[in-house]
Amino acid sequence: MRVLFFFVLSLLLAAPGYAQQPVPEASAPKPLRLTRRERKELARRAELDIARQQVRVLSEKDREMSEAFFVEGVKFVLLEDYNKALERLLKAYALNPTNAAINYKIAETNLLSGNLKDATNFALVAVKLDTKNAYYYLLLAQIYASQKQYDQAAKVYASLIRDVPDSGYYLFNLADLYMAQGKLNEALATFEQAEKQFGPLDEVSFKKQQIYLKQNNLDKALQEGEALIKANPDEVRYVIAQAEMYASNNRLPDAIRVAEQALRQDSDNPQARMILADIYRQQANPAESEKQIKLAFESPALDIDEKVRILLDYIKQLPNPALGQTALELAAITTRVHPKEAKAFSIAGDIQTLTDHKKDARDSYLKAIRLDNSKFQIWQQVVLIDAELNQVDSLLRHTDRALELFPNQAPLWYYNGVALMMNKQTAKGIKALEYGRKLALDNPELLVQIDTQLGDAYHEVKEHAKSDAAYDAALAFDANNAQALNNYSYFLSLRGEKLDKAKEMSGKLVKQFPDNDTYLDTYAWVLYKLKDYAGARTNLEKALKTTSDGTVIEHYGDVLFQLGETDRALAEWLRAKKTGGASNQIDRKIKDSKLYE
């Protein structure tokens, strides 16, 4: 049995005995709007009237007027117009100040409007006028609690339980109030009083356990748990709770014993398996811990959200060679047991990504999308993997699909533009990138990437002014952007324009990355265009220590030719052709042993 802690404020419950209370001599109604002082005076007079027992029977006219004001006041309470409600209720009160229901309703309205002092005064009067109405006590207790006067609220509950017949079930509310105050002994005594009246109750036992644990009385808490198990031999949840209590208090052998007891009652119980898995982990028995957690994951009774929470704990520790395989296997179990849950495949994809199983991760994300295509983050993961794997067709296909759902996502336009450029659809790629640029104005990091790609794209279609402007925009935000520095300086060198600027940019890059053969080749070619052949040779020879790229080899041959080493130049051109990747002038150079640019 569980009694809820609640307060009923409705008219139907609040109004027993309305207009049947004896009253003092009639007084004239107050004006429509009453001051705070007048309200207080009315409350004071009501208490005096009760004390003196100056009573009379209301005239029929006064009774009707009081009832009409009361009904109208309640109407305005329901409409949440508390000022008008109080005006009507106080007029009813002026005619009939010793009516408990009127005092109660005025107290309630003051509480709702935030006037706790007046609410307290009128609620006290309501209780004095009708000591057998539980709702009046409940309202007064609520008002005290709202003012954090918990001792007073507890006293009101005690009076309610003592003075109102059949109110023993409010013992539970009183005990909860004591617990909230940290008065554990009083709460415990109250719960025990309730159990004497109503018998053992499961929720009371749980709360008594909480109290005992807060009092560091583990034995008593465990005793309560054993009593619960004994009283409910078929309820495995009580056995699980007992095992958890043993485990959380480092009583591991007892925790194992009770968890295994739970498994004898329910062999597939995942909570018991999880308790055992955690215990074996603490005991440095990873094999047994892994076995138990896998058995738990095999159970559909361990819901998908709990499995995701556990897998997220693994993700926080990845990449970790000791945990990676277990995480992958648990993810696989999750997708098998929950084949219609998008989040199962999504979390599996995250784990596969972190353990460097990119293709598997993309497959998992795509399965998640088939079940629920509304999550942009999953689409983004698919696109990122496409780009990382350099699978242009997949990148183009997936960005096209994603943009149908998320047309305002700048990253999708960026990757769509990149895919179009890589697919030799440069004009379409530029349109996609320019559209993405408009959407990325509040994302400067992405804006840099888009501007850099636009620099490459506009160079491709020979719109050099736009290309230079795009690179300049990228470098204005990120002066060390490697792609922009390298490509911008290289394209300038090919055009033979702004060579000093190209030298500054490529030199800066080589200084940051002195062993990068691509950057060394770019810097060498800028020097070549500046006719610094010796400097170009030095940088190309350094680049050739780590690369066999045909372009770099051909450049080296060109430099040697300029330095007068014709035979060596021819040998390098031949090597460049054999390697592949040389320019379309390579055959003429070889045939004529002459430099063509």
Side-chain angles (χ1 to χ4, degrees):
M1 174 181 177
R2 174 68 178 110
V3 180
L4 297 176
F5 183 63
F6 67 102
F7 300 100
V8 179
L9 305 177
S10 71
L11 170 63
L12 291 176
L13 294 175
Y18 172 79
Q20 297 178 14
Q21 304 293 334
V23 297
E25 287 293 323
S27 56
K30 291 291 181 182
L32 186 60
R33 297 186 180 277
L34 300 178
T35 66
R36 183 179 292 274
R37 179 178 296 177
E38 287 171 326
R39 293 177 187 173
K40 291 181 178 178
E41 178 62 20
L42 285 172
R44 186 188 67 79
R45 284 173 52 196
E47 293 194 56
L48 290 174
D49 289 342
I50 295 168
R52 295 170 183 166
Q53 297 187 3
Q54 297 174 346
V55 298
R56 74 170 179 84
V57 176
L58 283 178
S59 69
E60 189 63 26
K61 181 180 178 181
D62 285 347
R63 186 190 311 281
E64 289 177 357
M65 288 180 62
S66 178
E67 288 177 353
F69 285 132
F70 182 84
V71 170
E72 194 172 0
V74 170
K75 179 188 74 174
F76 282 114
V77 171
L78 295 173
L79 294 172
E80 299 183 6
D81 190 340
Y82 302 127
N83 287 332
K84 288 183 180 178
L86 281 171
E87 288 172 1
R88 273 58 170 188
L89 291 170
L90 287 168
K91 290 188 74 174
Y93 172 86
L95 290 166
N96 194 0
T98 56
N99 182 280
I102 293 175
N103 281 274
Y104 169 86
K105 207 65 185 175
I106 293 172
E108 177 197 39
T109 308
N110 275 301
L111 171 63
L112 292 171
S113 62
N115 186 354
L116 298 179
K117 188 170 183 181
D118 285 353
T120 305
N121 292 333
F122 281 98
L124 281 167
V125 173
V127 170
K128 288 180 181 178
L129 287 167
D130 186 352
T131 59
K132 303 302 180 185
N133 191 314
Y135 301 113
Y136 299 172
Y137 288 93
L138 293 174
L139 177 63
L140 181 58
Q142 182 185 11
I143 293 167
Y144 280 132
S146 297
Q147 301 172 85
K148 302 189 185 306
Q149 298 180 22
Y150 299 117
D151 286 338
Q152 291 297 103
K155 288 177 182 178
V156 172
Y157 271 113
S159 298
L160 165 62
I161 294 162
R162 183 187 66 241
D163 296 338
V164 179
D166 302 321
S167 295
Y169 42 84
Y170 290 114
L171 286 165
F172 304 108
N173 303 66
L174 178 57
D176 286 343
L177 188 59
Y178 282 137
M179 285 187 71
Q181 292 177 264
K183 294 185 175 181
L184 302 182
N185 289 330
E186 290 87 340
L188 196 58
T190 306
F191 278 132
E192 288 173 350
Q193 183 181 347
E195 284 189 316
K196 287 179 183 177
Q197 185 169 345
F198 297 103
L201 299 169
D202 294 351
E203 188 167 342
V204 170
S205 292
F206 275 122
K207 290 187 175 181
K208 285 170 70 177
Q209 281 184 322
Q210 293 174 26
I211 293 171
Y212 288 135
L213 290 172
K214 288 179 180 178
Q215 293 176 330
N216 294 318
N217 192 341
L218 179 60
D219 290 338
K220 277 282 191 180
L222 291 168
Q223 278 181 11
E224 203 69 40
E226 293 294 344
L228 267 174
I229 294 170
K230 186 175 181 180
N232 301 273
D234 297 326
E235 286 283 1
V236 72
R237 61 193 176 104
Y238 296 135
V239 182
I240 295 295
Q242 191 79 340
E244 288 175 340
M245 196 180 306
Y246 276 123
S248 62
N249 286 277
N250 209 32
R251 296 269 294 269
L252 302 186
D254 288 321
I256 292 173
R257 171 179 58 79
V258 179
E260 289 176 344
Q261 177 184 339
L263 288 172
R264 286 193 293 273
Q265 291 181 241
D266 178 7
S267 60
D268 294 325
N269 190 283
Q271 283 78 26
R273 299 286 183 192
M274 292 302 300
I275 291 170
L276 289 172
D278 189 55
I279 292 170
Y280 289 129
R281 180 189 58 78
Q282 293 181 58
Q283 293 180 334
N285 188 347
E288 189 60 32
S289 177
E290 183 178 328
K291 172 185 173 183
Q292 293 297 331
I293 198 170
K294 286 179 181 176
L295 287 169
F297 267 57
E298 290 284 357
S299 172
L302 187 66
D303 69 42
I304 182 63
D305 291 328
E306 180 63 13
K307 288 172 181 172
V308 167
R309 186 193 65 76
I310 294 166
L311 290 173
L312 284 172
D313 287 338
Y314 277 90
I315 285 176
K316 292 173 184 177
Q317 302 174 70
L318 295 176
N320 181 337
L323 296 176
Q325 188 57 37
T326 300
L328 286 168
E329 291 176 13
L330 291 175
I333 294 171
T334 303
T335 56
R336 177 164 45 77
V337 176
H338 304 277
K340 295 184 178 181
E341 288 282 359
K343 63 183 72 174
F345 292 98
S346 175
I347 196 77
D350 292 343
I351 289 172
Q352 289 159 341
T353 298
L354 290 169
T355 53
D356 203 27
H357 292 76
K358 298 295 173 61
K359 290 183 179 179
D360 292 338
R362 184 176 57 185
D363 289 344
S364 293
Y365 289 133
L366 288 171
K367 288 175 182 176
I369 285 170
R370 281 197 286 273
L371 293 166
D372 178 5
N373 67 1
S374 67
K375 301 295 189 297
F376 166 69
Q377 293 80 1
I378 300 178
W379 281 102
Q380 185 170 248
Q381 288 296 101
V382 170
V383 167
L384 288 172
I385 293 173
D386 285 339
E388 188 172 342
L389 296 176
N390 200 31
Q391 295 186 353
V392 179
D393 290 342
S394 294
L395 182 60
L396 189 55
R397 183 172 64 256
H398 293 143
T399 51
D400 281 342
R401 286 177 57 197
L403 282 168
E404 292 176 6
L405 298 168
F406 308 100
N408 294 323
Q409 286 291 345
L412 293 177
W413 286 105
Y414 166 71
Y415 282 108
N416 186 251
V418 170
L420 287 165
M421 286 178 59
M422 295 174 72
N423 208 32
K424 306 302 181 183
Q425 300 180 62
T426 307
K428 288 184 177 180
I430 288 173
K431 287 183 180 180
L433 290 167
E434 287 287 10
Y435 192 79
R437 194 181 195 287
K438 294 176 183 177
L439 297 173
L441 294 178
D442 61 345
N443 185 344
E445 289 80 9
L446 178 59
L447 203 58
V448 168
Q449 296 181 59
I450 291 175
D451 281 330
T452 302
Q453 289 297 330
L454 281 170
D456 294 352
Y458 281 122
H459 169 79
E460 188 72 21
V461 294
K462 302 189 184 313
E463 294 192 41
H464 300 312
K466 289 183 178 180
S467 175
D468 291 356
Y471 286 131
D472 286 333
L475 292 170
F477 180 81
D478 181 6
N480 294 313
N481 185 278
Q483 182 180 344
L485 288 170
N486 182 75
N487 293 6
Y488 193 8
S489 56
Y490 186 64
F491 293 151
L492 287 174
S493 72
L494 292 179
R495 286 154 44 195
E497 298 176 5
K498 305 176 188 177
L499 293 176
D500 288 337
K501 181 175 183 176
K503 179 181 178 181
E504 180 184 353
M505 290 190 295
S506 57
K508 179 180 181 179
L509 200 53
V510 165
K511 189 173 182 180
Q512 293 178 32
F513 306 97
D515 298 319
N516 186 293
D517 50 71
T518 298
Y519 303 155
L520 286 165
D521 177 54
T522 297
Y523 184 50
W525 201 242
V526 172
L527 295 176
Y528 176 88
K529 288 290 187 174
L530 287 166
K531 302 188 184 306
D532 181 0
Y533 302 125
R537 177 177 188 166
T538 299
N539 284 278
L540 285 169
E541 287 176 348
K542 190 173 182 180
L544 287 168
K545 291 179 181 178
T546 57
T547 185
S548 57
D549 181 85
T551 299
V552 180
I553 298 170
E554 183 180 1
H555 284 168
Y556 185 49
D558 293 353
V559 169
L560 291 173
F561 186 90
Q562 294 286 11
L563 289 171
E565 300 182 31
T566 308
D567 292 340
R568 288 195 62 191
L570 180 59
E572 295 301 325
W573 290 336
L574 288 167
R575 186 158 72 99
K577 180 178 180 180
K578 183 178 180 181
T579 301
S583 73
N584 55 13
Q585 298 285 354
I586 193 68
D587 288 333
R588 291 182 65 197
K589 291 178 183 179
I590 294 170
K591 178 182 177 182
D592 298 338
S593 296
K594 185 178 178 182
L595 179 63
Y596 292 99
E597 296 183 294

